[in-house]
Amino acid sequence: MTPREISIERAILTALSAVPPGMLLGDETLRADAARIVRPRASTVELDARIRALDEKRRIAGIQGDLGMEYEITQAGRLWLAQNP
């Protein structure tokens, strides 16, 4: 994994960790928050790839809600974020 990919994953997990436990973050909000954290700003393609990768690694969990995809950070995601500040 490249340093850029790690930064984007960290940004996604950081955005999700700010949400209170038990609450979900909508896809649009997650992407906007994560894109702003990364410099230069993360592209849609980069975010798509890293969201998929984090879901496959079980660091995030996504569900289809009434208004689209919604995400939460998992315990594995919290642990990774704590170990990779």
Side-chain angles (χ1 to χ4, degrees):
M1 200 161 39
T2 69
R4 174 86 174 156
E5 290 170 330
I6 293 168
S7 298
I8 295 169
E9 287 193 8
R10 187 179 298 114
I12 292 166
L13 292 171
T14 298
L16 288 171
S17 71
V19 177
M23 293 189 69
L24 301 172
L25 191 60
D27 187 63
E28 269 187 48
T29 305
L30 172 60
R31 289 168 181 276
D33 289 352
R36 275 193 297 271
I37 293 170
V38 179
R39 294 286 175 238
R41 190 178 180 95
S43 70
T44 300
V45 171
E46 290 175 312
L47 290 168
D48 288 345
R50 300 326 320 150
I51 288 170
R52 255 191 326 275
L54 287 169
D55 192 36
E56 288 169 6
K57 295 174 194 173
R58 304 286 188 239
R59 292 183 182 150
I60 65 172
I63 63 163
Q64 183 65 45
D66 291 338
L67 302 175
M69 285 299 292
E70 297 178 316
Y71 296 93
E72 68 179 348
I73 189 171
T74 64
Q75 284 302 106
R78 288 184 193 285
L79 178 61
W80 185 90
L81 191 57
Q83 293 175 340
N84 297 276

